[in-house]
Amino acid sequence: MSLLISLFFILKAYTNHLINDYNYPFSWILTSLKISITYLLWVILTPLVYSLTKIVQVLSLFKLNKFFQFIFGCIVLAVFHQLIVSRLDDFINFTNSGYLKSFFGHNNMVTLIIGSFSSFIELLVIIAVFLAFDYQEKFLTNQKALIASQLTALRMQLQPHFLFNTLHSIAAMIDIDKKNAQKMLSKLGALLRRILEYNDNQLVTVKDELSFIKDYLDLEQVRYKDRVTINYNITEESMPLKIPNMIFQPLVENAVKYGIIPTISNGEININIWLEQNNFMKEKALILQISNTFNKHKNYIKPDGTGTGLLNVKKRLKQFYDNRFLFDVGFQTQELYAAKMVLPIIK
């Protein structure tokens, strides 16, 4: 940055030389050296400039002593900067012409005063740039914290929903098959432990998410036994990729609730995860798809749903990926329902 600024002022000095038509040749080397020293010296003084920036950040109307401390610090640093620059400038002129100005000479004092004012303005501009970068960094940090809290709130909303549905399944088993109800409670305990293990993680690998899904479906299979067949078709390259924590579980839960429960026999859930080039994303994307058969019996009464699961999935995908995702649910045929997510690849 300092080199670009130096280049700008070197070209400005050259333009000024041409406009005024001075009767001596323009020296690119001397001009470049003098201007470069001026701005490179600010780079060296960066720690001191940044300390003044910190004073500005804690300023308030009721802390005049801090304000005067800041102004005094700026004046001292500007004078110090100009003092070093003017001395180096005199040395460069001495090596070129053999003439060294007197430090206490009238011209030198005028140059020091005017130059110090110029350095003071430059210092204020640099501090303003530092403040802008600091505020931008804080803004981005706060935005990330806000998004993380929103995502956590959505996941916390999902967990009681999932727990309620699972406990409802276990309650339905107690009077029918106590042994299997006990087995389901044991598996539920394992699931809750897994939730606690990954509770602070916004992203998990496909492998970990799939492991959780398998445990959940094992629990449901205790209840529905021969009524459902579960097929997994997962590519190896997708396993280490990362996705939002518990993003797939609501879709699996819906497949059980609305696909397997009303099925008398031969129910099927297919879970497919793979990578492919996607036209919408215009890049290679991660595809997660779950489909289930839908073959309801005559006395089937569709359970009431709050829509929490699907709504939660959409909100979380929006928070994570903005508009860089696809989420589609619906019947592919009268007897086959599918949910599909197309997500950017995160390694």
Side-chain angles (χ1 to χ4, degrees), residues 42-263:
W42 280 125
V43 175
I44 297 171
L45 295 174
T46 295
L48 293 175
V49 176
Y50 195 68
S51 66
L52 288 173
T53 305
K54 290 298 181 184
I55 294 175
V56 175
Q57 290 175 329
V58 298
L59 276 179
S60 71
L61 295 174
F62 305 103
K63 292 184 179 179
L64 290 176
N65 61 323
K66 286 285 184 182
F67 174 76
F68 288 119
Q69 182 183 340
F70 168 73
I71 295 297
F72 179 74
C74 286
I75 292 171
V76 170
L77 192 56
V79 172
F80 177 75
H81 175 268
Q82 184 55 37
L83 191 63
I84 299 298
V85 168
S86 61
R87 287 292 82 196
L88 290 173
D89 188 48
D90 288 345
F91 178 75
I92 291 169
N93 289 329
F94 173 72
T95 57
N96 185 54
S97 63
Y99 172 71
L100 183 64
K101 293 180 183 178
S102 171
F103 179 74
F104 295 104
H106 175 72
N107 289 340
N108 243 15
M109 288 295 102
V110 171
T111 301
L112 179 62
I113 293 169
I114 296 174
S116 295
F117 179 75
S118 177
S119 293
F120 182 78
I121 300 301
E122 289 171 2
L123 177 58
L124 291 180
V125 171
I126 295 169
I127 289 172
V129 171
F130 278 153
L131 285 171
F133 276 116
D134 269 7
Y135 281 124
Q136 183 187 34
E137 186 179 350
K138 286 179 180 178
F139 174 77
L140 292 174
T141 301
N142 290 337
Q143 283 293 100
K144 288 179 181 178
L146 177 62
I147 291 172
S149 64
Q150 289 172 339
L151 289 169
T152 300
L154 287 170
R155 200 171 72 246
M156 292 302 104
Q157 180 188 30
L158 183 63
Q159 286 173 4
H161 180 264
F162 150 74
L163 183 59
F164 172 79
N165 287 340
T166 306
L167 288 173
H168 181 73
S169 295
I170 294 172
M173 284 287 294
I174 289 175
D175 294 331
I176 303 170
D177 190 339
K178 289 184 179 180
K179 187 175 181 181
N180 277 329
Q182 289 174 347
K183 191 182 292 185
M184 288 178 74
L185 278 172
S186 176
K187 288 182 177 292
L188 177 60
L191 277 175
L192 292 176
R193 277 195 299 273
R194 187 180 289 273
I195 288 174
L196 290 173
E197 284 176 11
Y198 293 100
N199 192 47
D200 294 330
N201 298 345
Q202 294 293 351
L203 291 170
V204 295
T205 62
V206 170
K207 182 180 179 180
D208 289 334
E209 181 80 357
L210 191 62
S211 178
F212 178 83
I213 295 303
K214 284 181 177 178
D215 286 347
Y216 170 73
L217 287 174
D218 284 349
L219 188 152
E220 292 295 344
Q221 272 194 309
V222 173
R223 182 181 178 187
Y224 298 110
K225 297 181 182 177
D226 299 330
R227 288 168 60 181
V228 57
T229 301
I230 301 167
N231 302 310
Y232 298 94
N233 184 18
I234 319 295
T235 61
E236 193 62 34
E237 61 180 343
S238 68
M239 295 294 267
L241 301 182
K242 291 187 177 181
I243 58 175
N245 193 355
M246 287 186 74
I247 199 69
F248 207 41
Q249 188 275 333
L251 305 181
V252 176
E253 192 174 337
N254 275 4
V256 173
K257 187 175 181 180
Y258 299 107
I260 302 307
I261 291 177
T263 300

